[in-house]
Amino acid sequence: MEQMDKHRREDFVQELFDSIAKRYDLFNAVLTLNQDSYWRSFAVNKAYIKTGQSILDVCCGTGKLSIALAEKAGRQGQIVGLDFSETMLQQAKENIRKTPYSQRITLLQGNALHLPFSDQSFDCTTIGFGLRNVADIAKALSEMYRVTKSGGTVLSVELSKPSAPMLKQLYFLYFEHLLPLIGNLGFKKNQPYYNLPASLRTLPDHSEIQKLFLQVGLKQVTSYQLTGGIAAVHLGIK
Ligand SMILES: C[S@@+](CC[C@H](N)C(=O)[O-])C[C@H]1O[C@@H](n2cnc3c(N)ncnc32)[C@H](O)[C@@H]1O
């Protein structure tokens, strides 16, 4: 995975999500023991969202974070969910259809590394469990920074690595040994389960992500470690 060049890696990630789109929400709930909804809602509550704001949700996948954002942004709020996987977007469409927010969420196929928006287009820009998957984290953050208005918020919620030694060992035991077994029992395609530990090992830890937030120019950068450091929320103000 680390050896792949950016384009090959993007193709790999896109195919991966195309192949698991239908099972992604279930997979996530099993994988995180249902903590993912709590992590998203924690993130949304920290994002300084006011009613009526325009929000871009990068790497929106099946739309779970976009839906939570729409709930928070109220009737006048406008959310754009962007992802490069067509099948993840189809699943997002289905998920959004079951909510009262269909009119307020627009889905768009596009690349996080080349956001198709002009500078300063959104009050808030979010990425949920996406930084781990993009081929260039710094570039994705600088694109999010670019399209966010001055005074607006850039936020990431992502799986992270616990720092306490015992928890760290348990964590990798779970992701590298137990999870593939669960995957083999319940799901046909186990490739994502083998990819996940690799993507977690190469993901910068929460202090490095904080540095990247500062490097793109964000101010008042804050981070929260959730569930013993298994997930982390980072946010900064432009
Ligand atoms: C783990 S899923 C996260 C989905 C969703 N945000 C959530 O909260 O569950 C990661 C998503 O990032 C998308 N993705 C990865 N790299 C991307 C890129 N360069 N541009 C757009 N989408 C990308 C994948 O297609 C996938 O849907």
Side-chain angles (χ1 to χ4, degrees):
M1 191 77 174
E2 296 108 288
Q3 310 298 320
M4 288 185 197
D5 68 29
K6 276 187 196 172
H7 293 297
R8 278 190 58 211
R9 184 170 166 179
E10 285 197 335
D11 290 347
F12 173 81
V13 170
Q14 192 170 357
E15 277 168 31
L16 183 74
F17 283 101
D18 277 341
S19 75
I20 60 163
K22 285 229 168 292
R23 290 159 186 264
Y24 173 81
D25 290 332
L26 174 65
F27 164 57
N28 241 354
V30 172
L31 159 77
T32 67
L33 309 175
N34 234 359
Q35 289 290 291
D36 61 314
S37 303
Y38 159 67
W39 295 334
R40 286 191 199 90
S41 77
F42 181 96
V44 167
N45 285 325
K46 291 290 175 197
Y48 305 112
I49 291 165
K50 298 188 191 81
T51 52
Q53 286 194 326
S54 61
I55 303 167
L56 172 65
D57 182 25
V58 178
C59 295
C60 68
T62 59
K64 289 290 174 93
L65 185 58
S66 309
I67 291 169
L69 291 163
E71 196 172 1
K72 189 81 178 175
R75 280 170 188 268
Q76 305 301 322
Q78 284 299 327
I79 320 299
V80 176
L82 175 136
D83 202 284
F84 65 13
S85 160
E86 201 176 331
T87 47
M88 289 294 270
L89 288 171
Q90 274 163 13
Q91 195 56 44
K93 204 171 167 188
E94 273 182 42
N95 287 343
I96 292 164
R97 210 175 20 224
K98 296 176 198 148
T99 74
Y101 310 121
S102 300
Q103 301 303 313
R104 285 183 255 153
I105 305 176
T106 308
L107 295 171
L108 190 70
Q109 191 170 18
N111 194 324
L113 305 186
H114 309 280
L115 292 175
F117 306 104
S118 20
D119 299 356
Q120 312 230 28
S121 298
F122 298 93
D123 297 301
C124 175
T125 309
T126 63
I127 184 162
F129 310 103
L131 284 185
R132 182 168 37 91
N133 291 291
V134 295
D136 184 340
I137 296 178
K139 171 77 173 154
L141 286 176
S142 73
E143 276 294 89
M144 291 172 71
Y145 179 86
R146 181 182 67 74
V147 302
T148 304
K149 294 177 188 171
S150 295
T153 311
V154 172
L155 177 142
S156 159
V157 52
E158 183 54 272
L159 290 176
S160 190
K161 293 179 257 196
S163 39
M166 273 284 280
L167 198 56
K168 205 171 176 172
Q169 277 179 353
L170 274 175
Y171 177 79
F172 281 107
L173 182 78
Y174 175 63
F175 278 112
E176 295 193 357
H177 299 287
L178 199 59
L179 196 68
L181 284 182
I182 297 172
N184 286 335
L185 289 177
F187 299 85
K188 291 278 176 284
K189 293 214 173 208
N190 59 13
Q191 195 182 21
Y193 302 89
Y194 293 110
N195 172 48
L196 186 63
S199 71
L200 287 172
R201 279 202 185 277
T202 54
L203 179 76
D205 70 18
H206 91 280
S207 62
E208 290 166 307
I209 300 268
Q210 188 150 355
K211 268 190 216 148
L212 288 169
F213 266 59
L214 289 164
Q215 272 167 22
V216 297
L218 288 160
K219 307 269 185 295
Q220 297 170 46
V221 175
T222 317
S223 66
Y224 301 89
Q225 288 183 275
L226 307 178
T227 321
I230 292 171
V233 168
H234 289 81
L235 70 146
I237 308 295
K238 178 165 174 181

